[in-house]
Amino acid sequence: MDQDIWQNILDKLEENINPQSFRTWFSETKLVDISDNELVVKVPTQFAANYLNQNYTDTLGEIAYALYKQHYKIKFISPPHYVKNNPNQTAGYSDNRVMVNTKLNERFSFEEFVVGRNNNFAYSAAKAVAEAPGYTYNPLFIYGESGMGKTHLMQAVGNYVVKEGRNCSIYYTTSEEFTNEMIESIRANKMPEFRSKYRKVDLLLVDDVHFLSKKEGTQEEFFHTFNALFDNRKQIVLTSDRPPKDIPDLEKRLVTRFESGLLCDLKNPDFETRVAILHKKAEPENIVLRDEVFSFIAESITSSVRALEGSLIRILAYASYNNHNPEELDVETVRSILSDMISEQHKKITLDTITQEVCLAYNITMPQIVDKTRRQQISYPRQIAMYLANLLIPQLSLKEIAEYYKRKDHTTVIHAKRMIENRFREDINFRSHIEQLIKNIKS
């Protein structure tokens, strides 16, 4: 009877929120206690409990009052050691040992990940998955530009499970390696072994799934692998440079599967987080710099965590080669050391920049390139511009590019990309032309 009360509240909530949000946060909830004025609901992880207590208690209280004319306080809890000490409550692990391929980088741990406003949600979600693999956020899909820490977070999940000694088999790969391994298995007539290998793991970590684009055979195989793992409550963690719906030529059924779990994006770190990252990266290398130098680097290099790390390596190499103490370097010296990296930062490429350069090359105007006409002398430069926009500004979605060029939807951009890429591969003169356009845009 008590569970009926909670189920009725959930049924009403489901009518009023996004289906994906409902599946993510409420599919694994269970009412564990009820009194005259409180409902206590169990969730798998502390992360989920914190999130639900902060965001849904008022709404659920209003629903409960509307249904039962009773003011209930809704409280979400995550019992301590809910999964770790009782593995029977989660996915059945394969053996009484940890099995992991050697591709996990031990440096990619949660302790080494610098948390800021740009990545706090993704970090918390990854930590929750590591604490309860296969239970709640499945799949976990982390996306963002190159160098934002996607691989670090993904491998931190695997390293955490290894450190905890969980009864779990782990496999890390990239979508490109998955494709190559599948091709080799077909060639060697070993597809049963290939399928068995991937479909028996407890934790599958797949990097850069956007490279599945246009690989129909690989997509087919990955779809069945995904289903086999998901149906058996095995954890899947995926990374990409863009959300599933913006990966071109990705089958709709895969998009649906990828979006069925939790999507987390990693954005550029803010100034304070960049300073913290620099300090964190400097510690293991024993690099001591002046505070004003750390601040200067954080102000000047904003594109990615990888670029920040690269700046420290550059400074360390300079100091070592010139027999200088890094702590003695002043801002002007560091500015000189990092001059090319800093100048590259300030060459901000925009849709306007790309469009202006393409219009100049084809002797048309910016109003003409966004016109509805399908005349070849206009539509062809427009396709080139859309292709370059997708190539040079990867953080833009296909929809945003389509809207800028006043196209109906993102499929126009996909078609343009396919057309230009095909000609780029086949026509050496055209390739030189595109490369010159890119050089002009960047300069």
Side-chain angles (χ1 to χ4, degrees):
M1 180 63 181
D2 291 348
Q3 288 299 327
D4 290 341
I5 291 175
W6 179 239
Q7 187 58 53
N8 291 337
I9 293 172
L10 287 182
D11 290 343
K12 196 67 178 176
L13 177 69
E14 189 173 12
E15 297 174 5
N16 295 282
I17 68 171
N18 179 281
Q20 182 178 316
S21 296
F22 185 84
R23 287 195 304 271
T24 298
W25 300 112
F26 295 97
S27 61
E28 301 293 340
T29 60
K30 183 178 180 181
L31 184 67
V32 293
D33 193 20
I34 184 170
S35 64
D36 291 341
N37 59 3
E38 186 176 61
L39 300 178
V40 180
V41 180
K42 183 173 67 177
V43 293
T45 68
Q46 189 58 48
F47 171 63
N50 292 342
Y51 182 85
L52 291 169
N53 283 324
Q54 291 172 13
N55 294 279
Y56 279 98
T57 52
D58 290 345
T59 301
L60 290 165
E62 291 171 5
I63 292 174
Y65 183 77
L67 291 174
Y68 300 108
K69 304 304 178 191
Q70 173 70 36
H71 289 290
Y72 284 113
K73 178 184 177 183
I74 314 294
K75 181 181 179 182
F76 292 95
I77 63 166
S78 174
H81 312 297
Y82 174 56
V83 174
K84 186 193 302 184
N85 293 341
N86 191 355
N88 292 327
Q89 287 182 294
T90 184
Y93 297 129
S94 56
D95 298 302
N96 293 322
R97 68 187 187 282
V98 172
M99 297 172 54
V100 58
N101 65 334
T102 58
K103 295 178 184 178
L104 287 180
N105 187 330
E106 291 181 2
R107 293 191 303 111
F108 290 159
S109 66
F110 289 117
E111 292 77 15
E112 292 299 315
F113 191 84
V114 179
V115 184
R117 284 180 295 181
N118 64 304
N119 59 25
N120 182 51
F121 182 75
Y123 169 85
S124 300
K127 190 76 181 291
V129 163
E131 291 170 351
Y135 208 77
T136 303
Y137 316 122
N138 198 19
L140 176 64
F141 192 103
I142 305 170
Y143 67 93
E145 293 178 52
S146 177
M148 289 296 112
K150 302 185 297 295
T151 299
H152 187 143
L153 267 187
M154 165 183 276
Q155 292 205 20
V157 174
N159 282 321
Y160 182 93
V161 173
V162 171
K163 184 179 177 182
E164 291 293 299
R166 197 76 53 74
N167 301 331
C168 182
S169 61
I170 307 165
Y171 198 84
Y172 167 82
T173 189
T174 67
S175 64
E176 187 174 11
E177 289 171 350
F178 182 91
T179 301
N180 293 337
E181 192 175 346
M182 176 183 143
I183 292 170
E184 179 59 27
S185 297
I186 293 172
R187 187 194 66 77
N189 198 26
K190 292 184 176 179
M191 280 304 290
E193 292 90 335
F194 172 83
R195 288 172 179 143
S196 176
K197 169 185 172 180
Y198 277 98
R199 298 179 192 184
K200 287 185 176 180
V201 299
D202 299 309
L203 173 58
L204 179 63
L205 312 169
V206 185
D207 229 340
D208 297 329
V209 295
H210 50 275
F211 285 119
L212 290 175
S213 172
K214 300 183 180 179
K215 298 180 176 71
E216 293 87 355
T218 308
Q219 289 185 35
E220 174 78 19
E221 189 61 37
F222 192 77
F223 173 78
H224 294 299
T225 297
F226 183 103
N227 283 347
L229 293 174
F230 185 83
D231 290 345
N232 287 300
R233 300 203 75 157
K234 308 302 183 182
Q235 180 67 51
I236 304 162
V237 183
L238 310 168
T239 74
S240 172
D241 65 356
R242 64 196 73 186
K245 62 183 178 59
D246 290 339
I247 299 175
D249 298 312
L250 186 67
E251 290 184 16
K252 186 172 178 59
R253 59 181 178 170
L254 271 178
V255 173
T256 302
R257 294 297 191 281
F258 292 169
E259 290 182 340
S260 66
L262 186 63
L263 303 183
C264 301
D265 65 327
L266 293 175
K267 300 182 177 68
N268 284 331
D270 56 22
F271 172 77
E272 292 79 9
T273 306
R274 293 197 297 273
V275 171
I277 289 169
L278 287 167
H279 280 284
K280 190 80 171 180
K281 298 292 184 183
E283 284 173 9
E285 303 295 337
N286 295 316
I287 303 174
V288 179
L289 299 173
R290 300 177 183 179
D291 287 341
E292 59 266 30
V293 169
F294 276 123
S295 296
F296 168 74
I297 299 170
E299 288 171 352
S300 304
I301 297 181
T302 61
S303 62
S304 72
V305 176
R306 195 172 296 148
L308 290 171
E309 190 171 11
S311 71
L312 291 177
I313 293 170
R314 181 83 66 88
I315 291 168
L316 186 62
Y318 172 90
S320 176
Y321 182 77
N322 292 282
N323 200 27
H324 287 327
N325 181 347
E327 195 172 4
E328 296 175 355
L329 299 176
D330 59 18
V331 169
E332 288 309 312
T333 304
V334 171
R335 188 194 304 274
S336 175
I337 296 169
L338 304 178
S339 58
D340 57 333
M341 293 181 73
I342 292 170
S343 63
E344 190 69 30
Q345 292 286 312
H346 296 300
K347 294 175 184 174
K348 184 170 176 61
I349 298 174
T350 66
L351 285 168
D352 285 344
T353 309
I354 292 170
T355 308
Q356 287 168 0
E357 196 61 44
V358 171
C359 287
L360 184 64
Y362 286 90
N363 196 29
I364 59 176
T365 65
M366 290 185 68
Q368 283 178 315
I369 203 170
V370 297
D371 192 76
K372 291 184 178 179
T373 181
R374 294 187 178 181
R375 287 184 298 134
Q376 179 75 1
Q377 58 264 45
I378 302 296
S379 64
Y380 188 60
R382 183 167 58 233
Q383 287 177 329
I384 291 176
M386 289 192 287
Y387 163 78
L388 292 173
N390 181 254
L391 178 70
L392 300 177
I393 319 178
Q395 64 268 32
L396 283 181
S397 69
L398 300 179
K399 181 181 178 183
E400 288 171 322
I401 296 172
E403 287 175 349
Y404 177 90
Y405 291 102
K406 294 183 168 45
R407 299 302 99 190
K408 187 176 180 181
D409 57 46
H410 70 284
T411 58
T412 313
V413 184
I414 294 173
H415 175 70
K417 274 187 83 247
R418 190 179 295 121
M419 293 281 291
I420 302 305
E421 284 172 352
N422 288 341
R423 188 172 176 190
F424 186 88
R425 283 191 292 265
E426 297 166 0
D427 188 335
I428 190 169
N429 293 326
F430 179 71
R431 193 181 312 152
S432 298
H433 170 63
I434 293 295
E435 287 171 352
Q436 184 59 51
L437 270 176
I438 292 172
K439 191 177 294 184
N440 293 346
I441 291 165
K442 287 185 173 180
S443 65

